[in-house]
Amino acid sequence: QSALTQPASVSGSPGQSITISCTGTSSDIGTYNYVSWYQHHPGKAPKLMIYDVNNRPSGVSDRFSGSKSGNTASLTISGLQAEDETDYYCSSLTSRTLTYVFGTGTKVTVL
Amino acid sequence: EVQLVESGGGLVQPGGSLRLSCAASGFIFSNYWMSWVRQAPGKGLEWVANIKQDGSERYCVDSVKGRFTISRDNAKNSLFLQMNSLRGEDTAVYYCARHLSSGLDYWGQGTLVTVSS
């Protein structure tokens, strides 16, 4: 299974909004509303930020939002904060194997 | 409090086997799909396998098919990953995680598997 494609890095200034894209195919993102986003600080367990395209788990800030159009999903972080600086991964169910595939990962830098 | 604690990692020679365990507590284990996810050194996350609540459905990534088997014991609130014919590229931190629909809402701290001679 090929990984979903994310930009290697995205940056923004404190208070700004940034968007991370996640591009898949008609076999994964394009077919299912089963896209999730994770925040991952190296050496720690990943944290679920968004599931099923645009749902936030309890306790996740409403500064994080998700969307999808065609084969591409997006994570938007509003009101960027220094603590948001880390790695982010998307994932999607894939029809070929009925398992999940992660994105390539995006490093967010707060300038 | 939801807790997932992995164990069983370590150093193994190529071609060898390991069995990872994940002890779950703080929730009704039998109500949830569960998954194993790994991260190789310097690499991104990779979904390895997942299993339905009653174990009747299991799926795994192509790269481990025929070598890894996911299983669970709901009576013991435990998830397992039997890994056979291990290769260098299987070296990674392995996490167990609980499903919240398509997302993984709780993760263990991970256990390191190193495949090397």
Side-chain angles (χ1 to χ4, degrees):
Chain A
Q1 293 91 313
S2 298
L4 306 173
T5 301
Q6 298 179 232
S9 62
V10 173
S11 62
S13 300
Q16 286 187 329
S17 293
I18 61 170
T19 296
I20 303 169
S21 62
C22 172
T23 302
T25 69
S26 57
S27 296
D28 38 66
I29 294 177
T31 294
Y32 301 106
N33 288 327
Y34 288 147
V35 178
S36 298
W37 289 91
Y38 300 87
Q39 180 187 69
H40 189 203
H41 291 275
K44 302 182 77 173
K47 178 183 179 182
L48 178 65
M49 308 304 286
I50 296 288
Y51 68 98
D52 296 353
V53 176
N54 56 12
N55 291 279
R56 270 188 311 275
S58 174
V60 171
S61 170
D62 60 5
R63 297 187 298 107
F64 292 85
S65 61
S67 62
K68 188 190 91 164
S69 178
N71 296 339
T72 299
S74 299
L75 174 72
T76 297
I77 308 175
S78 304
L80 198 62
Q81 299 179 1
E83 67 203 50
D84 300 330
E85 182 168 293
T86 191
D87 300 324
Y88 292 81
Y89 292 87
C90 60
S91 78
S92 173
L93 182 67
T94 173
S95 62
R96 196 175 78 79
T97 58
L98 289 179
T99 184
Y100 292 81
V101 59
F102 279 100
T104 50
T106 298
K107 180 173 180 58
V108 167
T109 300
V110 181
L111 302 172
Chain B
E1 177 193 7
V2 172
Q3 282 199 315
L4 297 169
V5 179
E6 302 95 339
S7 60
L11 175 64
V12 61
Q13 293 189 337
S17 298
L18 275 179
R19 189 191 196 211
L20 304 184
S21 299
C22 172
S25 61
F27 65 102
I28 302 174
F29 181 70
S30 58
N31 283 358
Y32 292 85
W33 279 81
M34 297 293 295
S35 279
W36 287 98
V37 174
R38 68 185 178 182
Q39 185 174 35
K43 303 291 187 181
L45 299 173
E46 181 182 30
W47 216 294
V48 177
N50 52 1
I51 186 168
K52 195 176 179 179
Q53 291 92 328
D54 61 359
S56 61
E57 294 181 41
R58 317 174 192 206
Y59 304 96
C60 65
V61 69
D62 284 350
S63 60
V64 308
K65 207 164 281 187
R67 301 188 300 121
F68 290 12
T69 302
I70 187 172
S71 63
R72 65 191 297 162
D73 184 340
N74 288 341
K76 295 183 178 179
N77 294 329
S78 294
L79 178 72
F80 306 101
L81 187 68
Q82 177 66 43
M83 305 187 295
N84 300 328
S85 303
L86 283 160
R87 307 167 179 167
E89 55 264 38
D90 297 318
T91 294
V93 174
Y94 285 74
Y95 297 96
C96 71
R98 186 184 85 167
H99 275 259
L100 173 62
S101 189
S102 68
L104 298 174
D105 63 343
Y106 284 93
W107 298 61
Q109 284 305 302
T111 186
L112 177 62
V113 172
T114 303
V115 183
S116 175
S117 54

